[in-house]
Amino acid sequence: KYTFRHLRLNGHSTVKVHTGSGRDTRHDVYQDRRDHIWDNRSDRATLSDRRGSVVDTESWGRGRDRDRGDDRGHDRD
């Protein structure tokens, strides 16, 4: 779990989440972690609002079709 304290997304906007270090912008945010947290074969990211309600999810690898109903490919940091 990671909380982006100063991030506000408008409807239909996107942001790229990076595991490593960097400078946050409107389009890229960084978790400042040293270790990898994503599994390249299969994993899921969930975006929740401040009340804990799920806003969106993205998954890849095994089970992805079941989770999203599509087979789009995505690169992950």
Side-chain angles (χ1 to χ4, degrees), residues 14-63:
T14 61
V15 65
K16 187 171 185 179
V17 178
H18 303 269
T19 303
S21 297
R23 187 169 159 240
D24 291 348
T25 67
R26 293 185 320 164
H27 303 287
D28 295 273
V29 292
Y30 296 82
Q31 295 183 19
D32 297 326
R33 296 178 188 257
R34 291 181 177 202
D35 298 323
H36 294 284
I37 62 169
W38 305 110
D39 184 334
N40 289 331
R41 286 185 255 167
S42 175
D43 216 330
R44 179 186 310 178
T46 302
L47 176 65
S48 303
D49 64 18
R50 69 176 71 171
R51 294 179 305 261
S53 299
V54 174
V55 175
D56 198 6
T57 61
E58 183 65 51
S59 59
W60 54 97
R62 272 185 305 219

Side-chain angles (χ1 to χ4, degrees), residues 4-20:
F4 298 99
R5 304 242 179 250
H6 302 290
L7 178 66
R8 182 181 178 117
L9 293 175
N10 294 323
H12 303 286
S13 62
T14 61
V15 65
K16 187 171 185 179
V17 178
H18 303 269
T19 303

